Amino acid sequence: MALHYNLAKVYALSDNDPEFVSEIINLFVTEVPSDLEQVKDGIEEKNHKKAYSYAHKIKPSLDLLGLNVAYEEILQIEAWTKTEGKKKEIKEIYKSVAHQVEKAVKEIKKDFSL
């Protein structure tokens, strides 16, 4: 039962095509965690462009899978990269996004036997 994600937008977008839904889910599970690591690396390296580009890449996936809080937080990370803020300002927000994605991925893997 989906507690940490919501597929309503995915089903709406796909006209309830199970193959499309499966593709989106697989992309989320395989790409978002590694892209999130790149955001973390960008933050650690004070490479704001890198952090921005990966945060920007992840953003639609978070929205599509109904991770609303993580979506709002990734917007904060994007804003932080544009102002080239200090690392400590954004670390907790990053941790929150990472935790939410981790819970969603774990649940999706269980729900869809991946």
Side-chain angles (χ1 to χ4, degrees), residues 16-62:
N16 294 324
D17 177 355
E19 211 171 284
F20 179 82
V21 172
S22 178
E23 231 174 272
I24 295 295
I25 288 167
N26 280 312
L27 280 172
F28 182 83
V29 168
T30 56
E31 290 190 14
V32 171
S34 58
D35 289 345
L36 209 47
E37 276 299 311
Q38 295 297 321
V39 173
K40 181 181 178 185
D41 291 347
I43 291 169
E44 293 296 324
E45 299 161 3
K46 295 182 187 168
N47 183 340
H48 295 93
K49 282 190 170 113
K50 179 179 182 177
Y52 174 82
S53 74
Y54 281 97
H56 191 70
K57 182 180 176 194
I58 293 168
K59 187 171 57 173
S61 298
L62 297 178

Side-chain angles (χ1 to χ4, degrees), residues 97-110:
V97 173
H99 183 66
Q100 292 170 70
V101 167
E102 186 182 314
K103 288 193 299 188
V105 166
K106 192 174 184 180
E107 190 175 15
I108 288 167
K109 283 181 173 180
K110 184 179 172 213

Side-chain angles (χ1 to χ4, degrees), residues 75-108:
L75 292 176
Q76 290 176 30
I77 291 173
E78 279 188 339
W80 172 85
T81 64
K82 289 178 184 169
T83 61
E84 297 194 357
K86 303 215 180 314
K87 261 199 299 194
K88 67 180 180 184
E89 297 169 346
I90 205 68
K91 278 189 165 183
E92 288 307 310
I93 292 172
Y94 169 80
K95 284 181 188 172
S96 174
V97 173
H99 183 66
Q100 292 170 70
V101 167
E102 186 182 314
K103 288 193 299 188
V105 166
K106 192 174 184 180
E107 190 175 15
I108 288 167

